[in-house]
Amino acid sequence: MKLGSFEIHTISDGTFKLDGGQMFGVVPKTLWERKAPADERNRIRLSLTCLLIRTGRHNILVETGLGDKFDAKFKDIYDVQHPTTLLAGLDDLGLEPEDIHMVINTHLHFDHCGWNTRRENGKTVPTFPRARYFIQRGEWERAANPTERERGSYREEFFLAAEPQTEFLEGDAEITPGIRLEVVPGHTRHLQCVSIDSGNQCAYFISDVVPTAAHLPYAWTTSIDLYPMETFENKKRLLPELVRKRALVIFPHDLEAPCVRLVENEGKIEVQAGGQVGR
Ligand SMILES: [Zn+2]
């Protein structure tokens, strides 16, 4: 997909499941189940969507999916399915891990940074040997020392080995012309979204601020969010702005529509009819 002089591609790292109640917070099941049917264990299926940006000079990866460093118990709890992987998707585009110049993680929850590292001869090593990795310093510190409340969301072996290649940011940053990281607190304190601008066109990787299109209503926030009122306020600020800018919005976990344009309809933000763009 063209975006000004850039090219952007969504790449799937397969799917997994999370508890539906966890994903929809205070929304009653009778309402959310219409959007996301639950299985017999009350879980709903979610995509693991990564984004590749090719600026002409750099190949930039946003998120690295779930990876493969988990055991049978983890696979069962989250029902991880890998009909394809991030690495296979890159290969389809003619790219090797060595060809990635930058890796951006919006935050370090295990479903966003799995391929930051991989195992090689019993050791965990960075998957992308020539990349600089970008994360907010505060997010890294929380991920490496989680409280009991957050512990289930982080897996040290997914990110720690890439530390020598990591750039720790403190606030918003334009890491290369047209690629801007913006701190949007709520889901975690230091989550960063990715704004991509080229030739008057804009795309926005919104991360778990709005994990799927079903989460567009302002009050539909997850109960995983550490600061749900901040997610709520940030959605109220951000979503109308993305409508005005006619931005392509990329959701991290939407199975049907990973990349859409939005419209405002009587105060409600919705996916534009026919506004789903590619995969
Ligand atoms: Zn998350």
Side-chain angles (χ1 to χ4, degrees), residues 106-107 109 136 138-139 142 150 154 183-192 225-227 230-231 234:
T106 62
H107 61 306
H109 283 169
Q136 292 290 319
E139 174 66 20
R142 292 295 287 266
E150 304 153 276
Y154 291 115
V183 178
V184 183
H187 185 64
T188 69
R189 172 52 68 214
H190 303 278
L191 179 144
Q192 56 186 359
D225 291 20
L226 294 174
Y227 312 97
E230 292 185 43
T231 304
N234 276 320

Side-chain angles (χ1 to χ4, degrees), residues 180-248:
R180 191 177 155 74
L181 308 184
E182 298 178 358
V183 178
V184 183
H187 185 64
T188 69
R189 172 52 68 214
H190 303 278
L191 179 144
Q192 56 186 359
C193 292
V194 186
S195 181
I196 306 143
D197 289 271
S198 179
N200 288 325
Q201 295 192 55
C202 170
Y204 200 81
F205 193 95
I206 200 158
S207 188
D208 284 346
V209 180
V210 185
T212 75
H215 293 83
L216 285 170
Y218 298 132
W220 289 45
T221 60
T222 82
S223 65
I224 302 160
D225 291 20
L226 294 174
Y227 312 97
M229 284 308 289
E230 292 185 43
T231 304
F232 174 75
E233 295 297 343
N234 276 320
K235 284 167 77 176
K236 278 193 148 169
R237 173 182 62 82
L238 204 52
L239 291 176
E241 198 180 299
L242 294 173
V243 171
R244 267 195 306 278
K245 287 167 86 171
R246 302 235 348 107
L248 279 174

Side-chain angles (χ1 to χ4, degrees), residues 103-115:
V103 174
I104 299 163
N105 297 114
T106 62
H107 61 306
L108 292 170
H109 283 169
F110 65 70
D111 52 322
H112 293 256
C113 67
W115 285 112

